[in-house]
Amino acid sequence: MTGRGPRGERGEQADKILAAARRSIATRGYTATSLRSVAQDAGVDPGLVHYYFRTKPGLLEAVMEPPEAFGAAVAAAAEQPIHQRGRAFVQANLRLWEDPAAAEILRAIILTAAQEPAAMKRLRQLFSQLVLAVVSHSLTDDERNLRASLIATQIVGLVMNRYIWQVGDIAVLPADAVTDLLAPTIQRYLADPLPTTLGDRPTPR
Amino acid sequence: MTGRGPRGERGEQADKILAAARRSIATRGYTATSLRSVAQDAGVDPGLVHYYFRTKPGLLEAVMEPPEAFGAAVAAAAEQPIHQRGRAFVQANLRLWEDPAAAEILRAIILTAAQEPAAMKRLRQLFSQLVLAVVSHSLTDDERNLRASLIATQIVGLVMNRYIWQVGDIAVLPADAVTDLLAPTIQRYLADPLPTTLGDRPTPR
DNA sequence: CAGTAGTTTCAGCATACGCTGAAATTAGTT
DNA sequence: AACTAATTTCAGCGTATGCTGAAACTACTG
């Protein structure tokens, strides 16, 4: 139809490519996503993908780039007074995942993490940014990492079952019910005394 | 070196292929695993892969096939009296994942679940077999699925962080410490009263 | 020892992949 | 209107993929 040369405003094609790539990686996975299919989904010439993102890992990097102030609401939960912080944290995470755009990025990262070091790096970074924050205020230093890890454990399990695999009752319950069910656990991991069975300090790496 | 025709005892080559495929899928992932590379790792002609497993999905199916009495220890935990069943369940799951052979199969399934329906099916089946069992004894019917889902949530989170991603303190703590930390949560999900905030019955699908 | 079923090897087809280089086209500047 | 920089298209390279068909070989049966 139209010939060569630029069209639309600057970065418009790049955005279409990025959106198509995110959708594909978040559903089919990174290795199963071909640049040709991405270009086709975006309605764009395959060469453009290389023009804007150089290589396939370059595309992945862009796909995983969180938008500005990503998860600010989750970080805000960390400011709550400690006795209601657990519940606030669960709520914030649910809201984050209920947003399709954010969920797509997170899904892409999670699906790719086990196979691509770059994705694993992003995942670790998000953990530090989101989970460690909730625990960093008003907690002693030696327990901080352990409590963060415990919280991550419960949140990740929720995410996998509800949003990634969509398995079990937890996947179909309304968000409020999920909050009521999981908030107590998070709160315990956050502030309740930990078992002292195996050495008082949690043997960090 | 050697010519064509059979060698070794029957099924020996098939086993080598299966082992190589399992290792590759459990680390690189299903789509990133090529039949040629599997054959090379197994020290075998690529054609043999098709001879024994027909297609690539066929190979995957075989890779995900759990050995006989897989997770029998986990199912046995379901027989424990209810007040110590939560702890027994955590212990059994840790032991299962501490076994390299079992862990490889489970890892292959988990890494593939989000992308291949066949893997998702296996995952659901393992859930029914392992998680639902622990909850099926001495519990009323309407709470059963919800409690199973909650337990799965916590166990999956543990598995992802400790065995798949190896992230956080939970990944480096000795198994006994992990048991002490998570058993109370599982026990609560198993037998403690659930919050009644949003309708008494958990709105099944 | 002939015959047969099962196993292994090999050559190759059709397709897809990531990526490159250069030409064609556009929009904006002077 | 000439020039320039950025964008889009196109043709194609080298390689890899899943899979097929048939030949070569082994071990066993009669």
Side-chain angles (χ1 to χ4, degrees), chain B residues 87-111:
Chain B
R87 169 169 258 268
F89 188 69
V90 175
Q91 271 178 322
N93 274 281
L94 286 172
R95 250 195 283 275
L96 179 64
W97 276 90
E98 229 68 65
D99 168 29
E104 210 170 47
I105 297 178
L106 292 170
R107 215 184 130 94
I109 294 175
I110 286 180
L111 288 196

Side-chain angles (χ1 to χ4, degrees), chain B residues 55-198:
Chain B
T55 65
K56 200 185 178 187
L59 216 208
L60 175 64
E61 209 70 62
V63 159
M64 297 188 305
E65 192 73 40
E68 199 175 354
F70 183 84
V74 177
E79 309 293 338
Q80 297 288 319
I82 190 129
H83 70 280
Q84 60 191 28
R85 199 183 298 167
R87 169 169 258 268
F89 188 69
V90 175
Q91 271 178 322
N93 274 281
L94 286 172
R95 250 195 283 275
L96 179 64
W97 276 90
E98 229 68 65
D99 168 29
E104 210 170 47
I105 297 178
L106 292 170
R107 215 184 130 94
I109 294 175
I110 286 180
L111 288 196
T112 319
Q115 308 156 42
E116 291 292 319
M120 188 68 243
K121 194 175 162 190
R122 271 263 176 260
L123 196 139
R124 286 180 197 268
Q125 180 214 313
L126 282 178
F127 272 23
S128 315
Q129 182 184 326
L130 301 182
V131 183
L132 254 173
V134 84
V135 109
S136 63
H137 296 290
S138 56
L139 283 179
T140 67
D141 201 70
D142 56 342
E143 282 186 350
R144 205 181 284 169
N145 288 331
L146 176 56
R147 300 191 113 98
S149 189
L150 287 169
I151 292 173
T153 270
Q154 177 60 92
I155 295 290
V156 164
L158 161 67
V159 162
M160 293 303 295
N161 282 278
R162 183 175 171 93
Y163 298 108
I164 306 285
W165 295 333
Q166 293 163 42
V167 150
D169 281 14
I170 206 78
V172 294
L173 285 174
D176 287 350
V178 175
T179 305
D180 292 339
L181 288 164
L182 294 191
T185 298
I186 302 294
Q187 186 63 36
R188 284 192 331 109
Y189 290 157
L190 183 65
D192 276 18
L194 299 172
T196 55
T197 5
L198 209 80

